[in-house]
Amino acid sequence: MFVEVIIPLALPKNYTWAVPEHMQAAVQPGIRVEVVLGKNKRYAGIIKKILAVKPEAFQPKDILNILDTEPLLYPQQLQLWEWIAQYYMCSEGEVMQAAIPSNLKLSSESILIWNEERSYDFSDLSDTEYVIAEALEMKKELRLSEVQQLIDSSNTYPVIKRLIEKGVCHVWEELKDKYKEKTETYITLSPLYHDESKLADLLNNWSKAPKQMELLLAYLHLVKTEGEVTQPQLLKKSNASAAQLKGLCDKGILISEKRAVDRIRTLPKNIQIDFTLSEVQEKALQEIRSGFSEKPVCLLHGVTASGKTEIYTKLIEEVIKEGKQVLYMLPEIALTSQIIRRLQKHFGGYIAIYHSKFNPNERVEIWNKVKSGETKVVLGARSSLFLPFKELGLVIADEEHDASYKQQEPAPRYHARDAAIYYASLFKANVLLGSATPSIESYYNSDQQKYNLVKLEERFGQVELPQISIIDIKKVPNKEKGKIALTPALISAIDTSLQQKKQVILFQNRRGYSPYLICNTCGWIPQCQHCDVTLTYHKAKNKLSCHYCGTSYPVINTCAACGSHDFTQKNFGTEKIEELVSEAFPDAKIARMDYDSIKGKNDHDALIKLFEQQRVDILVGTQMVVKGLDFEHVNLVGIVDADGILNFTDFRVNERAFQLMEQVSGRAGRKDGKGTVLIQVSNVHHPVLQFVKEHNYNHLYVFELGNRKQFDYPPFTRLIQVTFKHKEKHIAEEAANIMLLGLKANFGTESNGPAQPVVERVRNQYLWEILIKLPKDAKRINQCKREIQQQTIIIQSNKRYRSVTILPDVDPV
């Protein structure tokens, strides 16, 4: 018997291992096995399939151990992995790396073992070698991490290599299971005192240790009120110490026992729908249901605040009652915190959240609950797509237009919305895509009758859409000649809102204080040493930061080119706007929501709750404040710098600008319809501004479709972008030209480039790109993918280009 095993590495194909006879009965697809690759590198891989025929070209090694008694996932997940690997041009090992929680991927951790078989003279060891050898002689074994601490050097491998060569130690590879159950100490009463008369006798004849008596009474009170009592709970209630509790346990009155507990608090399972749909919503729900009988995918195009979430809730209720599971995807973690509170109110313990901010052990627990079918609804970001659903009935992709659904780095560079449609098809489940501003591709698919289309064209309760006003920045007098952050019209509107006890959202698509500094004498601009981008000034940290590689630099006061000390801060980010608003409105409560201010797992939720409770008057933020959040008391939204959104070099710039502006404007006047949106812009004649002003998605769609058809862009074609990275510019360019030459015979007219992107260098790597526009013909697309993979092998087999990184990206966003 032989098995094809996926291991979490970027290998061109899966390897085959032999199964020893005594393990054959336990082997099945989906379980983890321990295997050796190379000389001694151990991995926990997942069996993809069982084979009866031995590979012809080589002699497979035996698998070492079987790590599970039952599969870690179902056949549908393995099919999804295979499809993602094939479609997005990566390996199944890379998909496994992304899909499985880190604590279910066993790590091969090197351990140094002291060589007991020979006595050793330390006189010919260097100082660093001596330190490690001495520690090894005492402890007998050391982990690599401990060695690094001992000699405080990142250069430990050469030292270890020399010690091994000198026979001081050898390396042992250990596979370590990182998932640990969480345990908690529970306190119970000894069975001797379950008889009430014996307990009363004990209490009545208590003579010494009054603190222990208090502790026992606190326990009896907690048991009556809470049912079960944990040690921390009891010690807090009785204000006693662990030693006093131990005294009661030693006397045989109380018993202390460790139990495995869930890390994530679960609510009771109940379904409680306490709202009725409006006539318009009910009609849309009926259309969705009837649409699902014809096509498995439905696009719900509902204007902002039209009540899409209530429709989702009704559909989720139906699926739970059928005994099936629901995947509810959102593009950003920021959105999950507000929606989970609404859904928990309706579905209690049936629902769980899953995203990257959970710690590894919490993710394992959610994984297991989804696999067992105990969790019926999962609300999550794109990574939730990989959970092992037992019986999926419905997938909801809310804000389906959002670019955050596309994974950028590392591989697999998958689009969660598109992959979810394939995943649902494996279960014959339905997919509902929802958005106020659908992607051009999804709307085109509904136009072509591929998806069913349902429209919600009015806000819930017939509330009006906000009124949009354009402020021409060029007409505002400005002494400083820089860009104006807050025009008098916007300041006046904020003042009016605050007087009406309403809230304000200010949107700026740049974080930091000032996007760049410029020397007034010679025009020099500080740039990152590792990337070809200007450094952003962050006032709170008093640092210059690169938003591409994350490197921080001290603030520059002297020009590197001319020695001048005269710098001007150009443009503005969210931090600067927060400061300007604080100066203009000193009594207002102001908060900022961006990547710099939101770090922890619960920071989003805490800030959103404060805003909901009206404990924040003005919220300044980046795209985090745009998407899908529902605030009752916002009546003014200010888009501070619309030019920054309208002037990107991207074929999707008009679509993205419309989506951003329409979505952020949708936060205003959601309850009473008295919302106002002010857009500050210098290019007032941009066609997209007119579409936003009229809230007219259809006009944007027709306008964009004409442009896309003329220049051969999606939805009329499929794109594959191939990026070449190398620390030397000319080598990356040469590799790109070789690829282009190789593709010329079959794809010459469809290939564009090579060209350098707007940011030419990131993390000391120069970038070159080729863009291939292919007709929507699966056979031709697959042929192109094969040729790119073949050309990659040819290029990297040449010693000169071996270190060039070649990254194909299918359907880039």
Side-chain angles (χ1 to χ4, degrees):
M1 185 189 278
F2 302 93
V3 283
E4 183 184 323
V5 178
I6 305 167
I7 57 174
L9 289 178
L11 300 171
K13 54 180 278 188
N14 297 327
Y15 284 18
T16 302
W17 276 268
V19 184
E21 208 167 312
H22 66 282
M23 293 185 193
Q24 290 181 2
V27 160
Q28 54 180 313
I31 66 168
R32 291 177 300 166
V33 289
E34 187 180 340
V35 293
V36 170
L37 189 67
K39 281 187 180 175
N40 58 0
K41 222 36 184 150
R42 295 188 182 200
Y43 293 94
I46 287 181
I47 294 177
K48 184 183 175 186
K49 55 176 86 148
I50 296 167
L51 311 164
V53 181
K54 175 184 168 292
E56 286 177 20
F58 65 96
Q59 178 60 45
K61 293 180 182 177
D62 283 355
I63 60 172
L64 304 180
N65 281 306
I66 291 173
L67 303 173
D68 300 308
T69 52
E70 58 177 64
L72 194 66
L73 30 74
Y74 295 110
Q76 288 93 334
Q77 280 84 50
L78 289 170
Q79 283 172 268
L80 175 69
W81 291 10
E82 187 178 351
W83 180 84
I84 287 178
Q86 184 273 322
Y87 187 85
Y88 292 103
M89 298 179 71
C90 61
S91 68
E92 287 179 64
E94 287 170 307
V95 183
M96 176 187 172
Q97 187 72 7
I100 290 192
S102 60
N103 279 8
L104 291 174
K105 293 187 290 243
L106 304 184
S107 69
S108 179
E109 191 168 338
S110 299
I111 296 176
L112 298 186
I113 306 289
W114 172 250
N115 190 353
E116 297 277 14
E117 289 166 21
R118 55 181 289 187
S119 56
Y120 201 84
D121 175 15
F122 285 3
S123 60
D124 69 341
L125 298 182
S126 70
D127 288 351
T128 47
E129 289 167 6
Y130 179 86
V131 170
I132 299 170
E134 190 181 40
L136 266 170
E137 190 178 21
M138 286 159 57
K139 283 191 76 180
K140 305 304 178 200
E141 63 178 66
L142 287 174
R143 293 185 182 278
L144 264 182
S145 51
E146 292 171 314
V147 174
Q148 280 165 335
Q149 285 168 354
L150 265 177
I151 60 173
D152 194 25
S153 163
S154 54
N155 197 19
T156 47
Y157 285 90
V159 182
I160 290 165
K161 186 169 177 280
R162 290 197 298 273
L163 286 171
I164 293 165
E165 285 166 357
K166 289 174 182 177
V168 176
C169 61
H170 55 266
V171 175
W172 178 61
E173 292 284 305
E174 175 203 48
L175 271 177
K176 182 180 71 152
D177 194 338
K178 291 188 282 192
Y179 173 63
K180 295 274 188 295
E181 275 188 331
K182 184 182 179 183
T183 57
E184 202 152 335
T185 305
Y186 279 82
I187 307 298
T188 53
L189 189 64
S190 166
L192 284 172
Y193 299 104
H194 286 183
D195 183 334
E196 282 191 21
S197 59
K198 283 188 179 172
L199 182 60
D201 193 39
L202 173 72
L203 294 169
N204 292 334
N205 296 311
W206 199 283
S207 55
K208 292 175 187 172
K211 200 67 195 166
Q212 287 185 1
M213 171 74 153
E214 265 180 61
L215 220 160
L216 181 57
L217 290 171
Y219 167 79
L220 294 169
H221 178 258
L222 276 171
V223 156
K224 275 216 164 83
T225 56
E226 303 288 329
E228 290 193 317
V229 181
T230 64
Q231 181 173 315
Q233 201 182 4
L234 177 56
L235 295 179
K236 190 178 175 187
K237 168 92 176 162
S238 60
N239 205 14
S241 68
Q244 287 158 340
L245 176 59
K246 188 176 181 296
L248 278 176
C249 294
D250 291 345
K251 287 175 182 174
I253 297 167
L254 292 178
I255 297 167
S256 150
E257 59 175 348
K258 276 194 169 14
R259 293 185 204 164
V261 293
D262 284 346
R263 285 178 168 81
I264 298 157
R265 188 172 62 88
T266 50
L267 299 168
K269 288 181 177 166
N270 63 336
I271 297 178
Q272 189 183 348
I273 309 294
D274 56 358
F275 62 84
T276 49
L277 297 181
S278 69
E279 207 175 300
V280 179
Q281 286 174 312
E282 191 62 57
K283 181 174 176 282
L285 180 61
Q286 294 301 339
E287 284 177 26
I288 291 166
R289 282 191 194 122
S290 61
F292 280 153
S293 60
E294 298 164 23
K295 300 183 186 87
V297 185
C298 177
L299 175 63
L300 175 60
H301 178 202
V303 297
T304 54
S306 56
K308 294 186 287 293
T309 311
E310 280 90 352
I311 293 175
Y312 302 157
T313 306
K314 286 283 189 185
L315 286 165
I316 291 168
E317 178 192 16
E318 290 167 17
V319 175
I320 292 175
K321 285 180 175 172
E322 287 171 17
K324 292 185 177 177
Q325 292 168 299
V326 179
L327 170 59
Y328 186 149
M329 288 199 305
L330 289 158
E332 294 270 3
I333 296 168
L335 291 175
T336 57
S337 56
Q338 194 180 40
I339 299 226
I340 191 69
R341 291 201 296 277
R342 291 168 70 174
L343 293 181
Q344 276 176 340
K345 192 175 131 200
H346 300 311
F347 302 114
Y350 280 119
I351 190 161
I353 285 188
Y354 188 83
H355 55 61
S356 58
K357 286 266 165 70
F358 280 117
N359 72 43
N361 284 327
E362 288 172 335
R363 293 174 86 172
V364 171
E365 286 179 9
I366 299 166
W367 177 280
N368 290 334
K369 285 182 177 177
V370 172
K371 182 173 170 278
S372 68
E374 184 187 336
T375 294
K376 292 292 180 200
V377 186
V378 175
L379 177 70
R382 61 175 179 260
S383 57
S384 58
L385 172 74
F386 292 115
L387 286 168
F389 287 92
K390 192 176 184 179
E391 202 174 355
L392 193 60
L394 174 68
V395 175
I396 297 167
D398 199 11
E399 310 296 345
E400 66 82 30
H401 64 275
D402 201 293
S404 302
Y405 276 126
K406 173 80 170 167
Q407 164 79 4
Q408 304 293 348
E409 285 291 333
R413 291 170 186 81
Y414 67 100
H415 198 299
R417 176 200 64 208
D418 300 344
I421 292 170
Y422 173 77
Y423 190 31
S425 72
L426 301 175
F427 292 89
K428 296 189 168 49
N430 294 320
V431 181
L432 181 60
L433 310 175
S435 177
T437 54
S439 64
I440 300 290
E441 286 91 334
S442 293
Y443 212 80
Y444 181 75
N445 280 335
S446 70
D447 248 6
Q448 301 295 303
Q449 307 299 310
K450 196 175 171 187
Y451 301 165
N452 194 37
L453 176 66
V454 175
K455 290 189 177 187
L456 265 175
E457 294 182 291
E458 63 178 56
R459 281 182 150 189
F460 184 74
Q462 296 180 323
V463 168
E464 285 180 33
L465 285 162
Q467 186 185 339
I468 293 179
S469 302
I470 310 286
I471 300 170
D472 188 346
I473 294 175
K474 294 198 298 295
K475 289 184 180 172
V476 179
N478 181 18
K479 294 173 197 162
E480 293 171 16
K481 302 290 181 218
K483 207 162 191 180
I484 298 170
L486 302 175
T487 57
L490 181 55
I491 290 171
S492 167
I494 293 170
D495 191 37
T496 306
S497 283
L498 295 178
Q499 283 174 19
Q500 293 170 354
K501 298 280 184 279
K502 293 287 188 179
Q503 291 171 295
V504 178
I505 289 176
L506 295 178
F507 169 68
Q508 167 62 346
N509 211 20
R510 285 174 182 270
R511 58 192 172 93
Y513 187 82
S514 173
Y516 64 98
L517 304 176
I518 185 165
C519 170
N520 287 330
T521 309
C522 71
W524 178 75
I525 297 170
Q527 284 202 325
C528 177
Q529 291 169 13
H530 314 295
C531 313
D532 284 341
V533 286
T534 56
L535 294 172
T536 301
Y537 174 51
H538 287 254
K539 194 172 183 181
K541 301 177 196 162
N542 197 30
K543 288 242 165 58
L544 293 171
S545 277
C546 172
H547 287 176
Y548 278 75
C549 69
T551 308
S552 288
Y553 300 84
V555 174
I556 292 167
N557 297 313
T558 305
C559 175
C562 70
S564 163
H565 304 299
D566 185 13
F567 280 93
T568 300
Q569 290 165 1
K570 287 284 186 183
N571 221 318
F572 43 82
T574 46
E575 213 178 327
K576 174 84 175 274
I577 292 164
E578 184 186 20
E579 182 183 280
L580 292 170
V581 174
S582 301
E583 287 168 9
F585 303 98
D587 298 329
K589 296 185 284 290
I590 298 155
R592 177 164 53 91
M593 189 192 264
D594 58 26
Y595 180 78
D596 299 313
S597 63
I598 302 288
K599 290 290 184 192
K601 179 167 70 177
N602 301 313
D603 287 2
H604 285 123
D605 200 22
L607 183 48
I608 287 165
K609 277 182 183 166
L610 287 175
F611 199 64
E612 281 176 337
Q613 294 157 6
Q614 288 185 279
R615 285 157 65 189
V616 170
D617 301 317
I618 302 170
L619 182 62
V620 179
T622 54
Q623 289 190 34
M624 284 182 181
V625 300
V626 174
K627 302 164 183 178
L629 295 170
D630 186 6
F631 301 120
E632 282 185 28
H633 304 286
V634 174
N635 78 336
L636 174 66
V637 166
I639 298 174
V640 179
D641 178 23
D643 293 302
I645 309 167
L646 292 163
N647 296 335
F648 275 108
T649 49
D650 188 312
F651 76 91
R652 286 195 174 90
V653 62
N654 292 337
E655 178 189 358
R656 290 275 156 76
F658 178 86
Q659 286 164 346
L660 267 176
M661 288 192 266
E662 184 64 20
Q663 288 284 344
V664 77
S665 67
R667 303 314 110 211
R670 292 174 77 89
K671 259 297 183 265
D672 55 12
K674 292 176 183 148
T676 305
V677 180
L678 297 183
I679 299 175
Q680 297 186 159
V681 65
S682 55
N683 181 8
V684 291
H685 301 296
H686 198 291
V688 169
L689 291 172
Q690 196 54 41
F691 305 144
V692 173
K693 211 172 169 184
E694 297 165 357
H695 300 286
N696 198 327
Y697 174 82
N698 287 338
H699 282 183
L700 168 92
Y701 174 69
V702 171
F703 174 74
E704 272 300 279
L705 222 54
N707 290 341
R708 304 270 183 102
K709 188 156 195 165
Q710 188 181 346
F711 297 104
D712 277 339
Y713 277 111
F716 301 102
T717 55
R718 279 274 161 79
L719 299 184
I720 300 177
Q721 182 176 291
V722 188
T723 304
F724 300 80
K725 293 184 180 182
H726 197 266
K727 61 178 186 290
E728 290 182 47
K729 188 175 181 177
H730 64 280
I731 288 182
E733 186 182 5
E734 284 169 25
N737 277 308
I738 294 167
M739 172 76 77
L740 198 67
L741 205 64
L743 294 173
K744 218 165 194 176
N746 293 318
F747 300 95
T749 54
E750 291 138 324
S751 302
N752 301 275
Q756 286 200 277
V758 178
V759 178
E760 297 176 3
R761 182 174 61 112
V762 175
R763 293 188 174 92
N764 282 329
Q765 300 268 306
Y766 286 94
L767 310 180
W768 284 85
E769 292 174 349
I770 291 172
L771 186 68
I772 306 158
K773 296 178 184 176
L774 295 162
K776 292 173 86 172
D777 168 4
K779 197 174 172 185
R780 188 146 177 77
I781 292 167
N782 288 331
Q783 185 195 350
C784 184
K785 287 177 184 175
R786 281 194 300 275
E787 289 206 15
I788 291 169
Q789 285 164 335
Q790 284 163 7
Q791 289 301 321
T792 302
I793 294 164
I794 292 165
I795 291 166
Q796 293 186 326
S797 63
N798 184 328
K799 197 176 176 185
R800 182 175 171 82
Y801 308 114
R802 199 161 289 159
S803 53
V804 176
T805 305
I806 301 173
L807 302 173
D809 187 5
V810 180
D811 302 339
V813 297

